[in-house]
Amino acid sequence: MLMKYLMGKNEDIPPGTASIFFSFSAIVWFIIGTGLGSFNAAKLAFPDWVTGFEFFAFGKMRQVHVMAVIFGWISMAFAAAMMYITPALGNTKLWSEKLGVWSCMNWNIGLAVGLFTLWMGMTSGREYSDFIYPIDLILLFGVLIPVALNVWMTIAKRRTQGIYTTNWFFAASIFMLLIVLLVGNLPEYFHLTGLTEAYLTWWNAHNILGLWITPVAAAIAYYTIPKITGNPLYSHRIGHLHFWSIVIFYSTPAAHHLMSAPLPEWLKSFASVEGVLILVPAIAFVSNILLTLQGKWNMFVENIEIRFTVTGVLLAIPLNMQGGFQQTRSINWYIHGTGWIVAHAHLALLGFSTFIEVAAVYYGLQVLMKRKLYSLALANFHFWMLLIGFSIYWIAMTIAGLIQGAGKIYEVPYIDIVVAEHPYMIARWFGGTLVFLGNCVWLYNMYMTAREGTPVPAGRMVHELAYER
Amino acid sequence: MAFREYRIGAVMFGAALSLSMFITLVVPSFNIFSVGSTALALEKQLTYGFNSGWNPDDMFLTGANKPLKVLLKQDPQTDAVMEPVHAYVFPANARFPSGILHPKVLGAGSDVLSVEQGKINEASEAQGAVFLVRSGEHNGKAYPYIENVSATRGWSPDAVLKVAGDANTSHAGAGKTIFVREGCWWCHTLLPEQTQDFQYFGAPPYLGDFNGESPTTFGSDRKAPDLLHVGSRNSSKEWMMMHFFNPRLVQPHSIMPRFDYLWGKTDANGDQIDYAAWRKEFVEYRNGERVTPPEVPNYRSDSEIRYLIDFVLNLK
């Protein structure tokens, strides 16, 4: 079937094919990514658990987990959402389904090769840009530029007059991602060294989060909440505020990741002030979404997509409160480089953005396959495994981070910190494993939806139908 | 194009993003570019060579084509005893670091001295070269600079390596590649923090300590002690050997992975290392069935663990 679509004419490919391919790929990468995370966490709790295999060493697998989750799960779920939501909002078809299917195949192959090379120890040695630069270039030109082209052309060829908030974000974020990856990898292309390399590493890492993951996840919520509740977006003006403050404020605080490094002091102070200002887009986004829900809060209980999305939006509150303030000098000296930051990173990626994307994949797959969700019970199970697993992880790592911070400032011998953290390392492994198991159930549920889900009658929307199991 | 009515928005978006790029990239780049090297930065780039991460010269990160740091006690030409110096030997075809290829990277003062007095632009990668870190004066101010002793004194890489001998040769450059490949920096930072850490991990690095180094591998997620000055805290090769082979030998609560596989198949005598037997005996020792732990095999002088230990001990 894949070959038929790859080689066939664009007109012969059913609308939504690219998005369906992307959705299932994303779920599989999510299982791989969280499985690797669980494995790595076990190694931190029980260091002699798997020994004797060079390639199962923690140092060779940690980055594979991070890159699988960011570029496999999160970014592919974004691509799936873009290929479904952009045409839906433009009242048109995707510009090219064939290009979309090709990008999906290139993405899976490029990412698999990239993760394999990383696993074999071929790394640039730069966090979040660990891939060797030939892989970066393959992903950039073989995957992201085609996806961007599809999104931009679909918006340009839309059959509506205006462009809705979600599509501003999609079009702008993927443009910014291309710029970030091009500029952020300059040290590898041109062998830039020293502080330039260190700063660009974190400029790249910060902006992947700030200009790609955060705004695209928010954009998805701007679509799913009004679409499923039937309420119009509370305020387009606040949407404007959100969009412009992301572009202006969120693109500047990269240096706050290096507050204790010898960078120019003005740059750190500037980044720190700008870092607090990310509360502007954050508050605009959360208030806009929660106010859109007025009168429909029953759906938070009754509808699985709304529950996932709103949980993600609610998790954005602690996320941004932490994010805005933990990078100021007065707090950063305590928690920098500790498990607190690891907890914060998982709050952003596994809490806020993942919950919103899971909802988008649930909803998008049902709409595109015209099938009602196979089992609400399994979806509920998935939700609680994700939420409980994530909460255990987040709380454990936050406590571990505070212990590490205290140990750091009181100059405790490091091994005592390791001993004190041990129970939290076990809790982190347990929480991560729950997330992994929940995702396996999710894949089964979506597979069964494709096969056995009740067909949605023409003219009906998915969320109007009652759940059956 | 239906983007027409969004022209103002698109222009504003471009302007906002460009302004952000200008402030976060262009302005700091002037600032960072003007940072002059400390002597440590010169030593580091001469120790680590061109790049310690993936690069076309070392695709599988084995530590190939890296310089060697030797402690020289005799003049390689006359064999006369001299004040010991550290010399950085680039065998033929080892890539030079950025500071040699582009002296501007060294910063004002050091670049002029390195070219005029150090003759670094006469060094050739094809033939190899030997460098020293020296200090000199330029316009009345003191700067560290690099001297290409192959040009100024005629020392050849082979002669320097021969007179120094294996015991005085450090593979710290290849060791940093192993450090990057094995992901040591996912837990061990190389960045004592500015507001604390002085007492336990030593002083934080200076602004000019990084010119020419790539990757800098500061690390972000400290799950283990900072290593920037580890060679000053603990300079025992035997302790390092035991710790890398199985960290639980010297620190029962350690969560560090074992790096025994870096020994390779054979030990220093060329005998096969029986890892399975070793692990079995270690488990017996841990369970109290043996009084002493099994012996850690001596490593071959060209093994990856030698490179890594040389790198760690060189972090002063």
Side-chain angles (χ1 to χ4, degrees):
Chain A
M1 194 170 75
L2 181 65
M3 286 313 287
K4 195 179 88 192
Y5 291 147
L6 288 174
M7 299 304 162
K9 278 189 193 156
N10 189 36
E11 301 80 57
D12 298 341
I13 305 176
T17 304
S19 183
I20 294 172
F21 275 125
F22 265 116
S23 297
F24 276 104
S25 306
I27 299 175
V28 171
W29 282 112
F30 196 16
I31 291 174
I32 295 170
T34 48
L36 287 168
S38 163
F39 183 82
N40 291 348
K43 303 230 20 141
L44 289 175
F46 314 106
D48 276 336
W49 182 44
V50 178
T51 53
F53 303 101
E54 178 175 351
F55 296 109
F56 291 127
F58 178 84
K60 288 205 171 128
M61 295 190 74
R62 183 210 194 259
Q63 60 272 48
V64 183
H65 158 67
V66 173
M67 298 310 256
V69 170
I70 292 183
F71 290 103
W73 157 239
I74 291 179
S75 298
M76 274 199 173
F78 283 170
M82 286 177 172
M83 302 219 163
Y84 154 59
I85 295 173
T86 313
L89 285 170
N91 194 17
T92 180
K93 284 183 187 170
L94 188 64
W95 180 59
S96 168
E97 282 292 338
K98 188 173 172 178
L99 184 64
V101 176
W102 270 98
S103 346
C104 183
M105 187 189 72
N106 290 352
W107 197 325
N108 279 311
I109 294 173
L111 186 66
V113 172
L115 293 177
F116 184 76
T117 51
L118 257 195
W119 189 25
M120 294 296 115
M122 295 163 75
T123 170
S124 67
R126 304 173 60 236
E127 192 168 357
Y128 292 108
S129 33
D130 313 68
F131 285 143
I132 61 178
Y133 70 78
I135 301 285
D136 288 326
L137 292 173
I138 290 171
L139 289 178
L140 201 59
F141 289 98
V143 174
L144 293 171
I145 289 179
V147 170
L149 205 60
N150 233 336
V151 170
W152 296 333
M153 291 309 289
T154 305
I155 294 176
K157 301 228 181 262
R158 72 191 183 280
R159 295 194 295 174
T160 52
Q161 198 187 3
I163 303 178
Y164 179 65
T165 321
T166 298
N167 276 353
W168 313 334
F169 275 106
F170 282 172
S173 292
I174 199 156
F175 176 77
M176 293 192 285
L177 178 71
L178 297 177
I179 300 284
V180 167
L181 290 179
L182 266 179
V183 175
N185 284 307
L186 286 180
E188 288 167 54
Y189 308 143
F190 299 112
H191 191 60
L192 308 180
T193 56
L195 286 180
T196 315
E197 184 268 341
Y199 176 56
L200 275 176
T201 298
W202 286 101
W203 186 88
N204 175 77
H206 174 87
N207 287 339
I208 287 178
L209 288 161
L211 301 180
W212 172 241
I213 295 178
T214 312
V216 176
I220 292 173
Y222 276 129
Y223 176 77
T224 42
I225 295 286
K227 179 74 186 173
I228 300 174
T229 60
N231 283 353
L233 184 65
Y234 176 73
S235 164
H236 282 261
R237 279 284 160 83
I238 298 180
H240 277 279
L241 177 66
H242 178 196
F243 179 84
W244 290 107
S245 53
I246 286 267
V247 177
I248 292 169
F249 298 141
Y250 222 143
S251 59
T252 47
H256 71 200
H257 293 261
L258 289 166
M259 290 300 275
S260 59
L263 277 188
E265 289 298 317
W266 72 265
L267 184 60
K268 291 196 266 182
S269 299
F270 169 78
S272 191
V273 173
E274 293 283 306
V276 177
L277 288 172
I278 64 163
L279 286 169
V280 175
I283 293 170
F285 163 64
V286 172
S287 52
N288 210 0
I289 294 294
L290 295 186
L291 288 168
T292 302
L293 275 161
Q294 278 172 343
K296 294 287 172 64
W297 276 93
N298 59 317
M299 294 186 87
F300 183 43
V301 179
E302 292 161 7
N303 180 290
I304 193 71
E305 292 88 20
I306 292 290
R307 193 191 310 157
F308 265 111
T309 310
V310 174
T311 307
V313 173
L314 291 174
L315 288 172
I317 298 172
L319 170 70
N320 290 292
M321 287 296 159
Q322 281 190 343
F325 294 114
Q326 73 187 21
Q327 44 85 36
T328 59
R329 285 173 199 266
S330 54
I331 299 178
N332 193 260
W333 69 283
Y334 195 90
I335 47 97
H336 179 259
T338 70
W340 172 288
I341 302 295
V342 182
H344 174 77
H346 283 79
L347 177 58
L349 299 184
L350 178 56
F352 159 69
S353 83
T354 283
F355 276 79
I356 291 175
E357 289 142 39
V358 166
V361 173
Y362 266 113
Y363 190 69
L365 275 180
Q366 291 177 70
V367 171
L368 296 172
M369 301 192 301
K370 301 188 183 66
R371 300 265 187 177
K372 183 68 182 176
L373 186 64
Y374 173 70
S375 165
L376 176 66
L378 290 180
N380 276 332
F381 179 76
H382 180 218
F383 175 82
W384 288 111
M385 289 289 266
L386 243 60
L387 187 61
I388 294 171
F390 158 72
S391 303
I392 292 173
Y393 185 100
W394 183 54
I395 292 167
M397 286 313 292
T398 300
I399 297 173
L402 292 173
I403 293 173
Q404 261 178 296
K408 183 167 74 172
I409 62 161
Y410 294 117
E411 306 279 3
V412 172
Y414 206 90
I415 194 64
D416 293 339
I417 300 175
V418 173
V419 173
E421 278 187 313
H422 183 61
Y424 303 99
M425 292 295 132
I426 296 174
R428 145 198 241 190
W429 164 71
F430 180 68
T433 307
L434 292 188
V435 172
F436 166 66
L437 295 175
N439 288 334
C440 297
V441 171
W442 185 29
L443 181 62
Y444 172 76
N445 198 6
M446 295 326 283
Y447 175 73
M448 291 306 284
T449 303
R451 294 194 60 131
E452 314 228 329
T454 308
V456 178
R460 286 279 160 203
M461 287 200 284
V462 168
H463 53 269
E464 292 173 340
L465 269 64
Y467 293 107
E468 293 168 30
R469 290 181 194 85
Chain B
M1 289 287 280
F3 267 126
R4 202 168 47 239
E5 61 270 37
Y6 284 90
R7 189 186 291 154
I8 295 172
V11 169
M12 277 172 63
F13 171 75
L17 197 64
S18 306
L19 178 68
S20 149
M21 299 267 161
F22 182 74
I23 297 174
T24 60
L25 291 174
V26 180
V27 179
S29 73
F30 287 126
N31 220 295
I32 292 175
F33 195 69
S34 68
V35 172
S37 298
T38 58
L40 181 63
L42 304 188
E43 289 167 14
K44 272 176 20 181
Q45 54 180 293
L46 292 176
T47 308
Y48 302 147
F50 181 68
N51 191 324
S52 311
W54 185 88
N55 64 87
D57 294 328
D58 189 4
M59 304 253 266
F60 299 99
L61 280 81
T62 55
N65 297 321
K66 289 288 181 281
L68 300 153
K69 179 179 178 179
V70 301
L71 181 62
L72 208 52
K73 297 169 184 166
Q74 284 170 297
D75 188 300
Q77 283 175 318
T78 62
D79 282 352
V81 175
M82 64 176 198
E83 190 75 9
V85 288
H86 283 295
Y88 303 88
V89 181
F90 285 71
N93 297 323
R95 290 292 302 276
F96 289 158
S98 282
I100 308 282
L101 300 171
H102 312 286
K104 274 261 171 273
V105 169
L106 301 174
S110 297
D111 56 348
V112 177
L113 285 171
S114 300
V115 173
E116 288 178 0
Q117 299 194 20
K119 304 212 185 312
I120 57 170
N121 50 354
E122 293 175 21
S124 126
E125 284 178 349
Q127 291 170 8
V130 182
F131 299 99
L132 299 181
V133 174
R134 316 260 299 169
S135 61
E137 229 173 71
H138 179 64
N139 291 340
K141 281 176 80 179
Y143 294 100
Y145 72 95
I146 298 174
E147 182 180 347
N148 171 13
V149 279
S150 296
T152 57
R153 304 186 206 174
W155 295 4
S156 74
D158 290 340
V160 172
L161 287 178
K162 188 156 165 272
V163 76
D166 190 55
N168 289 318
T169 302
S170 165
H171 290 267
K176 180 160 181 191
T177 301
I178 307 294
F179 184 84
V180 169
R181 185 191 75 191
E182 295 298 322
C184 308
W185 53 288
W186 290 119
C187 303
H188 294 282
T189 49
L190 289 179
L191 185 70
E193 297 185 3
Q194 289 184 341
T195 38
Q196 63 277 326
D197 281 357
F198 282 88
Q199 192 179 335
Y200 206 79
F201 296 129
Y206 290 102
L207 196 57
D209 281 354
F210 301 100
N211 293 30
E213 188 184 7
S214 177
T216 42
T217 51
F218 288 156
S220 63
D221 178 8
R222 190 192 278 175
K223 298 186 275 295
D226 188 277
L227 294 186
L228 191 65
H229 303 295
V230 65
S232 304
R233 292 199 297 273
N234 183 348
S235 57
S236 161
K237 203 175 259 187
E238 288 69 30
W239 189 93
M240 292 294 166
M241 252 174 69
M242 293 173 76
H243 189 247
F244 277 116
F245 203 81
N246 186 337
R248 265 68 64 194
L249 278 175
V250 287
Q251 180 46 267
H253 297 294
S254 171
I255 59 169
M256 184 167 128
R258 304 172 183 195
F259 289 96
D260 47 8
Y261 54 82
L262 295 179
W263 263 251
K265 287 195 168 65
T266 54
D267 66 8
N269 302 327
D271 299 330
Q272 288 281 323
I273 301 177
D274 190 345
Y275 290 101
W278 197 96
R279 292 192 183 114
K280 190 166 153 284
E281 291 176 24
F282 176 74
V283 171
E284 289 168 9
Y285 163 70
R286 198 177 53 195
N287 297 342
E289 293 157 18
R290 272 175 69 109
V291 179
T292 53
E295 284 286 320
V296 172
N298 284 317
Y299 51 77
R300 278 180 289 116
S301 64
D302 61 343
S303 60
E304 290 180 335
I305 189 62
R306 193 259 173 102
Y307 302 165
L308 187 57
I309 289 182
D310 282 356
F311 168 75
V312 171
L313 292 178
N314 188 51
L315 292 166
K316 296 288 186 189

